[in-house]
Amino acid sequence: MSSRESKHTPHNQRPFLSGESGFDIGEMLPADLDQILAIEEGSFVTPWSRNCFLEELHSRLSKMFVARTTGGGERRVAGYLCAWFVAEEVHILNLACHPGFRRRKAATGLLAHCLHRAGADGMQWAYLEVRRSNDQALSLYSKFGFKPVGLRKGYYTDTREDAIVMALEMKPSPSLS
């Protein structure tokens, strides 16, 4: 197994290949921020600020990915994912897609890419919190093998809604040789 191949992959998931479903998945760049902020503000009651994203872009713990359109014309940011890679764990902090690109596999691609990178970096567990009422996100995470492991009562300060804590044990992948 080469150093670029994953030792761990999400349960029953293959790596997402850039270009699938019309998106390239890559590192978030400062030039992406205006589009990301527009998605963030349209997706969350309490959106992250520009400074919050800038701090994450410069943090050694953060990994930030974007899905960009691959079709003709100007490339647009379809979605983004922010995570912390800490010790042997990846913590998914933020995942959102532009309304025009929802249900077109951008979030699936971002999550698959992040988990593949986490496995390649030796992460053994993935964690996230999700609003109890967010059925679409719960369905996506369940498809990747995330399981509920806890509940944070009143976690979201904007609505006092509970958060479901979900975890995924990263399974060793078979050798690709």
Side-chain angles (χ1 to χ4, degrees), residues 19-32:
E20 287 183 8
S21 302
F23 303 108
D24 277 335
I25 309 293
E27 301 289 326
M28 185 183 292
L29 303 171
D32 297 323

Side-chain angles (χ1 to χ4, degrees), residues 63-83:
K63 304 285 186 208
M64 302 175 73
F65 307 107
V66 294
R68 294 181 185 90
T69 58
T70 58
E74 182 184 343
R75 292 177 53 132
R76 295 181 50 205
V77 172
Y80 57 91
L81 183 147
C82 305

